[in-house]
Structure formats: C-alpha cells, structure tokens
Amino acid sequence: MYYFASDMHLKFDGYSTSRATELKAIKWLDMVAEDAIAIYLLGDIFDFWFEYKRVAPKGFVRILGKIAELTDRGIEIHILAGNHDMWMLDYFEKECGMMIHRDEQRITLLGKTLLLRHGDAVGITSIPVRLMNSIFRSKLLHRYFSALVHPNLALKFGCWWSGHSRKSKSISHCFRGEDEYLVQYSRRVLEQDKIDYFIYGHIHCAEIFKLNELSKAIFLGEWIESPTYARMDSNGIKLFKFQ
Ligand SMILES: [Mn+2]
C-alpha cells in the first residue's frame, strides 16, 4: 500500500499548539506502517524549516523519531519540499532515512503513472512573484543566508513569516473545480503526457477531481483542522479522514 499526506504545518512555537497535530501524525504513521510500502509526504509538513550545515531547528523530535524508526524498518518515506519547508539540507536524509525531493516527481506505482508535487509556484504569471519564488528556492541564497544570519534570528524571522503567510488566508480552502490553477496545470501536462494520478498538497482542501476518463487530480487537504490522507492500492486512490 502507498500513502500520501501533506500540509501538517507542524511548528516550533514554544511547545504548544502543534504538539497535538504532531501526536496525531505519529498515530497515523503507526497505523499506515502496518501495510505501507512507501509513504509520501508532499510538503509543508513543517510550518517553517531552515537548516544549516551543522544546525537544525529545535522541536519535532517525536515525529522525526517515528519517521527514523519506520525507515529503519525498511518503509520508504519520501518528503517533497513545500513552500514552508523547502530549506532542507541533508538532515532528514542522514538522520531520519527519508528521501528528499525538491522538484515535481513522476513515478510509477502499481502500474499507474503518478505526478507528485507540493503545488506552490504553479501557473504564476506575475514576473516579480516568479522571481521571488526562484530566489526562495535557490540553493545559493540558502548558502549565503546561512553564512550571514545567525540561526536564532533566521528561525525567529522564519517562524514569524510562516505564521504571517498562513494567517493571511484561512486554513481550509473551498475547491474551485476547473478554476483551480492546479487543475489547469494538470490539463496542460495531460496534453503532452499520460498521467493517471496527479497528487498535490498546498491548497488545503481534500478533493478528488476527475480530469477525464483515465486521469484524476487528488488534493490532500491539511492537518491543522481536518487531517486527511490518501491511500493507493490496486483499486486506485482514495481519500480518508484521520480522527
Ligand atoms: Mn504550501
């Protein structure tokens, strides 16, 4: 079985609000570990993550410990960079055994072709916003920033910025069908390639949208208000709420 989840937005805020989400995520990992071959985390698992070569943010020991336990047992765990946690280096890989992916992934599972993507930075036409995005994702900038900014300051700023960017919109999002830019993006990809399932995070609504007779777009929802995940077996992909 294959499992997918995204947008847990675990945050380090002096050990308060996101501990409950972290514990819930651990319960979920324990549950899916019973039959999981691989687990895909599609970004924004952390509300803010910024890693230095020799320094990683405080917090998250429970979930990272659980992930390490599962990868030690041979379960593949993949993490895709979201717009809140794209500044990963090799800590998750070396310490927790996760496979880190910074770009869109196209994979084949159970004979189906899947396109996995967090879902930010898609279909942006504004040039300044596109520029901002590529600057944010630049490895060179990460390196300069790390050399110049003390970790306490970087983390303080990042946590403020993440909270601010999230609070500027409500947590859940009402699905807009064909108007969703990720639906439009999927249709553009389908003009060139055959994809059975597109799986996205980022927009914080859980939805399966039929693109045509063969292809579906699956949106994974979020874990702040309404934890949801997707499960794939030989019958296809379904979304489930996790209480
Ligand atoms: Mn996001």
Side-chain angles (χ1 to χ4, degrees):
M1 252 37 86
Y2 297 94
Y3 292 91
F4 307 83
S6 73
D7 296 270
M8 292 174 176
H9 286 274
L10 302 175
K11 59 184 172 194
F12 178 70
D13 56 357
Y15 310 104
S16 57
T17 50
S18 77
R19 177 61 57 85
T21 312
E22 185 178 0
L23 295 177
K24 196 167 266 192
I26 290 166
K27 231 169 110 186
W28 175 72
L29 285 167
D30 272 330
M31 182 190 82
V32 303
E34 285 175 22
D35 62 2
I37 297 165
I39 300 167
Y40 292 85
L41 303 172
L42 267 74
D44 288 1
I45 299 306
F46 302 95
D47 202 46
F48 182 67
W49 183 270
F50 191 97
E51 193 180 321
Y52 288 71
K53 202 171 172 195
R54 290 181 184 78
V55 179
K58 271 190 178 183
F60 320 116
V61 288
R62 287 165 181 76
I63 191 159
L64 293 177
K66 177 54 69 182
I67 287 171
E69 180 199 320
L70 300 190
T71 59
D72 284 350
R73 270 164 54 187
I75 299 172
E76 263 180 42
I77 303 188
H78 298 259
I79 185 163
L80 274 75
N83 50 315
H84 285 254
D85 52 12
M86 63 179 106
W87 300 281
M88 305 183 259
L89 293 176
D90 61 0
Y91 185 65
F92 293 148
E93 186 189 316
K94 299 255 163 72
E95 192 67 29
C96 311
M98 281 195 266
M99 287 174 232
I100 299 174
H101 308 284
R102 290 184 171 79
D103 302 308
E104 175 178 294
Q105 294 295 300
R106 292 184 187 208
I107 56 170
T108 305
L109 299 177
L110 302 168
K112 301 283 182 193
T113 312
L114 284 78
L115 182 151
L116 313 179
R117 189 174 177 128
H118 177 63
D120 64 302
V122 172
I124 300 167
T125 45
S126 149
I127 291 170
V129 179
R130 271 165 81 158
L131 192 70
M132 272 281 285
N133 259 297
S134 46
I135 291 174
F136 265 28
R137 286 193 178 255
S138 139
K139 271 193 168 174
L140 194 68
L141 190 85
H142 185 163
R143 212 178 302 150
Y144 278 130
F145 194 85
S146 306
L148 297 170
V149 184
H150 188 276
N152 282 345
L153 192 65
L155 270 291
K156 195 172 175 181
F157 169 74
C159 291
W160 168 82
W161 170 81
S162 277
H164 176 78
S165 106
R166 215 173 3 77
K167 276 177 214 143
S168 62
K169 49 186 199 276
S170 65
I171 291 165
S172 60
H173 163 86
C174 204
F175 189 68
R176 295 175 299 139
E178 292 293 341
D179 289 335
E180 286 296 341
Y181 64 91
L182 287 168
V183 167
Q184 292 163 6
Y185 173 70
S186 310
R187 293 211 178 281
R188 286 201 298 278
V189 172
L190 283 177
E191 286 170 16
Q192 316 275 338
D193 303 305
K194 183 189 164 288
I195 304 282
D196 297 293
Y197 300 111
F198 294 83
I199 308 188
Y200 301 112
H202 190 59
I203 63 168
H204 292 190
C205 58
E207 192 76 37
I208 296 188
F209 188 75
K210 205 169 159 183
L211 295 157
N212 59 37
E213 284 313 307
L214 301 168
S215 306
K216 284 175 183 159
I218 290 110
F219 298 89
L220 294 170
E222 48 75 30
W223 279 64
I224 306 163
E225 288 181 346
S226 171
T228 317
Y229 66 96
R231 178 181 191 269
M232 180 181 186
D233 60 21
S234 52
N235 295 317
I237 300 189
K238 279 191 185 144
L239 282 174
F240 297 88
K241 284 220 172 308
F242 184 71
Q243 298 306 331

